Amino acid sequence: MLDRAWQGYLRNDGRKGIRNHLLVVYTVECASFVAQEIGRGEPDVHVIGFPGCYDNDYAIRLMLALATHPNVGGVLCVGLGCEYTQPHRIAEAVRQSGRPAESFFIQEHGGTSSSVALGKQLIASLRQRASEDAVRTPMSWADLTIGAECGGSDGTSGLAGNPVVGRAFDSLVESGGTAIFEEVVEMIGLRDLMVSRAASPAAAGQLGATYDKAFNYCKAVRQYSVAPGNFAGGLTTIEEKSMGAFAKGGSKPIEGVIRVSEQPPHAGLWLLDSVPDEHFMQFGYTNPNDTEGIMDLIAAGAQIVLFITGRGSVIGSPVSPLIKITGNERTYRNMTEDMDFNAGRVLSGELTMDQAANELTELIADVASGQMSKPERLGHREFFLMYKHQDVPSLEAGCRM
């Protein structure tokens, strides 16, 4: 892997971030407009939130994971005043992580305009404190956690886009870094292959159980993760799509399975399970859109997410930069303003797979060093938090708000 180093931001928990964003978190849909208006015109402010006004551990864990992400330097939490999730509790958790945080209820501050004005004042104060508190530190590949997600797959995704990411993941793991890939429902038909990649008997048990749950989920909801756009792009079956999706995981042993808002316990290659648990399967879909899966990866600590699409995409993400990769040269030409990397040059013979992977790792290092990816430059910050339930026993304590 390329010998690169750059400056990042050291957080109290020892993790290192590549950005120092401010985050506005709304705790119910009724507060979302005010939150978005607070963030409007603020280049370093990203907005996330949960629309529901009821108790949902999955949503709370995810928001807490994002609010204490290594790329976040300060947080403002905004609530309406009658929802279950309490903004001051999230702010307190953020302060305990060593970051400045503020919170307020709209109902206690006069309504829309006055709350937006108050939010702007608090953001200005948080920005100054986050800048003053920032501790710059050297970073290398071993300090990076990178996620990978597919979306709008076509025949080139499994032939070029995903395999190039898989080679880059292999290099990242060899350099001491952490790689996370997900979309177990797009790995249907590959149970034996998945289990054969396990780094240990315990990991094999986790992978087998995770696959079985995903397969049962697909049967329960009567839907597999394959769509008309995939067929138009040359794919014919879920198994065919699965082989391509699995390729983004490279060739290294899979250390185990993590769940949404869990951080990998150590470096290496990890599979992220975002499927609702069996007793919740009829409540909440998994991977309802690309943005949901990307947020799950960021909640696991990914400072950068690689998004592979053969058909093309115009999304981005808050908190962590999104790097968009395509294995389809026509897609790259048609959507050059949105696509970051053309892996289709492997299929045309312009580059070998290793050469393309080396170019991609150089781009990753550039983005980690501060260069904006194309979604960042365009201002894309799509956020989606799904209504669903998934237990994470190791994180149950302290998740209530």
Side-chain angles (χ1 to χ4, degrees):
M1 200 166 200
L2 297 169
D3 185 16
R4 293 282 298 270
W6 55 90
Q7 290 288 304
Y9 298 89
L10 180 64
R11 305 305 181 188
N12 280 17
D13 61 5
R15 292 188 295 168
K16 300 176 182 179
I18 63 169
R19 301 290 189 267
N20 200 34
H21 294 315
L22 300 177
L23 197 62
V24 175
V25 180
Y26 59 87
T27 52
V28 67
E29 181 62 25
C30 306
S32 64
F33 178 83
V34 168
Q36 294 290 349
E37 289 300 301
I38 291 170
R40 190 179 303 278
E42 309 281 354
D44 56 345
V45 175
H46 294 200
V47 180
I48 68 165
F50 178 52
C53 60
Y54 70 100
D55 180 21
N56 186 286
D57 286 348
Y58 163 81
I60 292 170
R61 286 195 304 261
L62 190 141
M63 289 193 295
L64 283 173
L66 296 176
T68 57
H69 190 280
N71 286 352
V72 171
V75 178
L76 171 62
C77 302
V78 181
L80 176 63
C82 45
E83 64 270 27
Y84 187 93
T85 305
Q86 299 291 290
H88 68 276
R89 295 288 301 278
I90 295 177
E92 179 57 30
V94 173
R95 283 191 287 268
Q96 290 177 4
S97 77
R99 297 165 175 81
E102 299 289 348
S103 64
F104 69 88
F105 282 123
I106 296 168
Q107 290 172 346
E108 297 176 358
H109 289 278
T112 299
S113 298
S114 55
S115 293
V116 171
L118 172 62
K120 292 282 190 182
Q121 293 173 11
L122 292 173
I123 282 293
S125 173
L126 285 167
R127 180 180 293 113
Q128 180 177 351
R129 291 154 63 189
S131 177
E132 292 172 350
D133 293 348
V135 177
R136 300 309 302 267
T137 186
M139 288 186 69
S140 68
W141 296 107
D143 300 307
L144 279 183
T145 297
I146 298 179
E149 176 89 6
C150 301
S153 300
D154 69 358
T156 71
S157 297
L159 294 172
N162 287 333
V164 167
V165 168
R167 294 285 178 95
F169 263 14
D170 286 349
S171 296
L172 175 66
V173 171
E174 289 170 359
S175 299
T178 304
I180 308 172
F181 70 120
E182 69 126 11
E183 298 169 299
V184 186
V185 292
E186 293 186 11
M187 298 173 193
I188 299 302
L190 306 185
R191 189 184 197 282
D192 291 346
L193 180 58
M194 286 176 60
V195 173
S196 73
R197 290 272 302 279
S200 66
Q206 291 178 3
L207 290 166
T210 298
Y211 176 90
D212 292 341
K213 185 182 76 166
F215 186 48
N216 290 335
Y217 165 84
C218 290
K219 290 190 293 184
V221 300
R222 303 180 187 88
Q223 182 171 312
Y224 292 84
S225 188
V226 64
N230 301 139
F231 300 140
L235 297 174
T236 62
T237 64
I238 181 58
E239 291 85 0
E240 205 169 63
K241 184 179 181 184
S242 295
M243 288 297 294
F246 194 65
K248 66 180 178 286
S251 63
K252 297 300 180 183
I254 302 172
E255 299 295 323
V257 178
I258 59 172
R259 294 184 147 210
V260 176
S261 73
E262 275 191 310
Q263 298 171 33
H266 57 80
L269 176 66
W270 295 83
L271 180 66
L272 172 63
D273 171 19
S274 64
V275 178
D277 288 335
E278 289 182 318
H279 50 293
F280 294 133
M281 277 189 177
Q282 295 295 343
F283 188 90
Y285 282 80
T286 189
N287 291 54
N289 55 52
D290 297 327
T291 296
E292 191 261 351
I294 291 166
M295 297 319 303
D296 291 342
L297 289 164
I298 297 173
Q303 298 114 319
I304 294 173
V305 175
L306 308 179
F307 182 63
I308 311 101
T309 171
R311 303 274 292 168
S313 173
V314 293
I315 64 170
S317 58
V319 179
S320 296
L322 194 69
I323 296 177
K324 292 212 284 285
I325 299 152
T326 184
N328 190 320
E329 288 207 87
R330 183 172 61 183
T331 296
Y332 185 80
R333 290 194 302 270
N334 288 345
M335 302 185 70
T336 301
E337 65 182 44
D338 286 278
M339 304 306 300
D340 291 281
F341 189 82
N342 178 13
R345 291 171 293 166
V346 172
L347 298 180
S348 67
E350 182 179 340
L351 296 176
T352 67
M353 195 74 73
D354 285 336
Q355 288 172 332
N358 287 338
E359 272 197 26
L360 178 59
T361 57
E362 187 168 359
L363 174 59
I364 292 169
D366 289 341
V367 172
S369 301
Q371 174 181 303
M372 286 188 174
S373 67
K374 288 184 178 178
E376 280 188 292
R377 288 202 298 269
L378 289 167
H380 280 288
R381 296 173 187 172
E382 284 80 356
F383 174 81
F384 183 82
L385 203 166
M386 185 62 191
Y387 283 85
K388 65 181 177 184
H389 290 274
Q390 187 192 66
D391 290 334
V392 182
S394 64
L395 298 179
E396 285 303 306
C399 72
R400 297 274 175 180
M401 289 289 112

